[in-house]
Amino acid sequence: MTVIYTDQSHESLNESLQFLMEKQGMPLEKVIELRTKLLDRADSLLSHPKSGQLEEYLEHLNKYHRRLIEGYFKIIYRIEGEYIYVTDFFDTRQDPEKMKG
């Protein structure tokens, strides 16, 4: 299997980390540590791709999106054949309706 990060996932991760740094005052070292932790957790899907629960907020898309929880973040992904597509890093302190896209 291969983990593929979509453009959307990169965008949402960068926006969230930027917000934490600029608006919440999180030090750069902590932001880098959080980013590494989130990406490592997503890469762990190579060993256990179905370890995440189905994501109920995305059921309407019928693509069987799953989620892993890491701190305040949901790592949203779906499995298609030999590929694991990470589609979003969603900060759970936001309104979950934003996830519906």
Side-chain angles (χ1 to χ4, degrees):
M1 298 203 95
T2 304
V3 174
I4 297 174
Y5 294 89
T6 65
D7 290 341
Q8 170 61 40
S9 71
H10 284 294
E11 211 172 282
S12 62
L13 179 59
N14 289 335
E15 286 174 8
S16 292
L17 296 176
Q18 194 75 25
F19 177 83
L20 291 172
M21 203 164 51
E22 291 178 2
K23 304 292 186 194
Q24 300 294 317
M26 184 180 277
L28 179 59
E29 297 80 26
K30 290 287 185 188
V31 169
I32 292 169
E33 184 180 313
L34 176 59
R35 183 180 190 278
T36 300
K37 189 181 282 191
L38 289 167
L39 293 174
D40 286 349
R41 184 68 192 272
D43 286 341
S44 77
L45 290 167
L46 288 170
S47 301
H48 305 285
K50 293 189 177 180
S51 60
Q53 296 177 316
L54 290 173
E55 178 52 61
E56 66 272 3
Y57 284 103
L58 297 175
E59 284 179 344
H60 66 284
L61 298 174
N62 295 319
K63 295 201 177 205
Y64 305 101
H65 285 86
R66 294 177 170 272
R67 69 176 179 268
L68 289 178
I69 305 295
E70 183 64 44
Y72 290 111
F73 283 85
K74 285 184 180 182
I75 301 168
I76 307 297
Y77 69 99
R78 70 179 188 276
I79 302 168
E80 290 184 17
E82 291 298 309
Y83 299 101
I84 301 166
Y85 291 95
V86 175
T87 59
D88 200 3
F89 290 90
F90 187 79
D91 188 328
T92 59
R93 295 169 287 190
Q94 298 180 72
D95 179 356
E97 293 295 318
K98 284 183 165 183
M99 191 185 309
K100 289 188 175 180

